[in-house]
Amino acid sequence: QVKLEESGGRSVQSGGSLRLSCATSQHFINNLCMGWYREVPPFAREPIAAIEPDGRDSYADSVKGRFTIIRDKAENTLYLEMTDLRPDDSAIYTCAADYRPTVPCLPGAVESLAYRGRGTQVTVSS
């Protein structure tokens, strides 16, 4: 069982930056496929970013060049660095993880990962 807890979400102005954190209950997260997705209920979830066990990262086109996913092995924490935020980035951001995903560890797989947190709200005002 992997427990995940997000934090760092808040209200910011358009053009601003935020860093979201996802603390894990594991003492060794190197072997996890990890990622972030976001959602604005009642609309569909949007996968954002994923990081493979070997460290390779990948992003949705909507955030590429603005967001960075970072795995801090020492802190057992996953981060999402977000810059140049826009109002349409407003959403609930959730992290997810899995040791053995059934699909390649890419953004499209994040929604299917076995473990996820409860999410943190990000609101970007114009």
Side-chain angles (χ1 to χ4, degrees), residues 17-79:
S17 300
L18 271 182
R19 185 177 76 166
L20 304 183
S21 302
C22 174
T24 75
S25 61
Q26 302 303 105
H27 295 296
F28 187 75
I29 64 172
N30 290 10
N31 292 342
L32 284 167
C33 166
M34 305 183 78
W36 293 88
Y37 65 84
R38 65 188 181 186
E39 62 184 317
V40 181
F43 302 107
R45 292 172 179 169
E46 179 187 10
I48 295 299
I51 186 164
E52 300 180 53
D54 65 4
R56 285 181 293 179
D57 55 359
S58 52
Y59 302 89
D61 287 344
S62 59
V63 305
K64 197 173 296 182
R66 301 189 297 124
F67 291 12
T68 304
I69 187 171
I70 300 167
R71 184 197 341 247
D72 187 324
K73 301 171 186 177
E75 297 293 327
N76 297 317
T77 300
L78 182 72
Y79 296 101

Side-chain angles (χ1 to χ4, degrees), residues 11-17 83-89 123-126:
S11 297
V12 295
Q13 296 277 1
S14 181
S17 300
T83 63
D84 190 24
L85 284 163
R86 306 164 182 169
D88 60 5
D89 292 319
T123 303
V124 184
S125 57
S126 56

Side-chain angles (χ1 to χ4, degrees), residues 1-2 4 33 96-101 109-116:
Q1 183 78 8
V2 178
L4 305 170
C33 166
D98 202 331
Y99 281 109
R100 289 180 292 274
V110 174
E111 292 178 71
S112 66
L113 299 182
Y115 308 106
R116 64 192 63 186

